[in-house]
Amino acid sequence: MMKRILCILLAAILLLPALCACGSMTPEQQKAAYDGIIAEYTALLKAKQNGETLTPPDTTGMKEEEAAVAEAIYTVAELCKSPDIMGYAYKDTDGDGSPELYLMTAGTYVRALFALDGGKPTLLWVQETATHSMAFGRKGYLYYNSHTTQDGVEEQTYHHARVAGSELVDDLTIGYTVDPDGNTADGHFKIENGTRTALGWDEYRFLYNYYGETDGWVSMLVNVMTDLAFGVALYFVAI
């Protein structure tokens, strides 16, 4: 019995640094943990602005999460068509005392989202195509879209997600399917708690409007700060 207790205590001690890392960091230290991302992001935007061809990151020897972060930064810059409207913002989205880092446009469309896990940045979400985007939705949700095609049937989905620590949790997904003939009749659905349920048009539109992206749903102060040495306009958003 005593041996079992000692093993439990040892495990707790080993886990303690990871569990407390963010909580023991000051707000300045938490933001500073993202400095490497911002530096690489700015460098890639500078290169893009100068018409240079971007080189994918060499992730050899990196841990899986480190590689995901590096590849996400590159993906955002590679897909970017207007570096001068890109920027970043800090926001404690879930109110846990640790800010997330958003790479985003001046129009507040999110291109990538990072959180701290054990004091280190981890990737929560990144755009995968030029039409893939995230925005702040109603009811405190983040709202992003995805699109797939299989056997000629297209499926468009809208995800209503929330930040929970170092995870992005989808609470509700709604969407519709389009057959090869372009018909969407009876193709609307929702996915909630892992269960997919067919929706009528009226219920689909209600959920879309209730949770979905809207203009003017939150008050933002956007300060534009241009670093002429880089030729890139960085947008700092305070919410």
Side-chain angles (χ1 to χ4, degrees), residues 56-107:
D58 181 2
T59 58
T60 304
M62 287 187 183
K63 295 181 179 179
E64 182 178 354
E65 189 50 52
E66 293 173 341
V69 169
E71 290 169 351
I73 301 167
Y74 167 78
T75 297
V76 172
E78 180 65 19
L79 293 176
C80 173
K81 296 184 181 300
S82 302
D84 58 313
I85 69 166
M86 296 298 292
Y88 60 90
Y90 304 102
K91 179 175 171 61
D92 182 4
T93 318
D94 58 353
D96 67 350
S98 178
E100 289 74 48
L101 174 67
Y102 291 82
L103 304 187
M104 57 202 301
T105 70

Side-chain angles (χ1 to χ4, degrees), residues 134-165:
M134 173 186 278
F136 294 92
R138 290 174 174 160
K139 309 299 178 183
Y141 279 94
L142 293 165
Y143 167 94
Y144 70 95
N145 67 307
S146 60
H147 178 269
T148 59
T149 302
Q150 185 174 359
D151 298 327
V153 177
E154 298 182 31
E155 183 169 287
Q156 179 72 45
T157 51
Y158 301 95
H159 305 257
H160 306 102
R162 56 185 170 82
V163 174

Side-chain angles (χ1 to χ4, degrees), residues 10-203:
L10 179 59
I13 291 171
L14 292 174
L15 286 172
L16 191 58
L19 294 173
C20 298
C22 288
S24 62
M25 297 170 70
T26 66
E28 292 75 18
Q29 289 172 329
Q30 290 174 344
K31 290 183 178 180
Y34 295 116
D35 284 353
I37 292 176
I38 295 172
E40 180 64 14
Y41 174 58
T42 303
L44 290 175
L45 288 180
K46 173 187 174 182
K48 189 89 171 187
Q49 187 85 327
N50 292 335
E52 300 175 23
T53 300
L54 302 187
T55 302
D58 181 2
T59 58
T60 304
M62 287 187 183
K63 295 181 179 179
E64 182 178 354
E65 189 50 52
E66 293 173 341
V69 169
E71 290 169 351
I73 301 167
Y74 167 78
T75 297
V76 172
E78 180 65 19
L79 293 176
C80 173
K81 296 184 181 300
S82 302
D84 58 313
I85 69 166
M86 296 298 292
Y88 60 90
Y90 304 102
K91 179 175 171 61
D92 182 4
T93 318
D94 58 353
D96 67 350
S98 178
E100 289 74 48
L101 174 67
Y102 291 82
L103 304 187
M104 57 202 301
T105 70
T108 67
Y109 283 99
V110 179
R111 298 305 186 223
L113 170 59
F114 304 90
L116 295 181
D117 184 8
K120 296 182 178 180
T122 186
L123 175 67
L124 298 192
W125 182 89
V126 63
Q127 70 173 139
E128 297 174 352
T129 67
T131 58
H132 195 205
S133 65
M134 173 186 278
F136 294 92
R138 290 174 174 160
K139 309 299 178 183
Y141 279 94
L142 293 165
Y143 167 94
Y144 70 95
N145 67 307
S146 60
H147 178 269
T148 59
T149 302
Q150 185 174 359
D151 298 327
V153 177
E154 298 182 31
E155 183 169 287
Q156 179 72 45
T157 51
Y158 301 95
H159 305 257
H160 306 102
R162 56 185 170 82
V163 174
S166 58
E167 296 182 355
L168 187 66
V169 179
D170 278 8
D171 280 352
L172 175 69
T173 298
I174 62 172
Y176 59 87
T177 56
V178 180
D179 65 26
D181 296 324
N183 300 315
T184 59
D186 300 322
H188 297 86
F189 61 89
K190 70 174 180 178
I191 301 175
E192 194 170 18
N193 297 322
T195 301
R196 180 167 174 147
T197 307
L199 294 177
W201 170 248
D202 289 341
E203 187 176 5

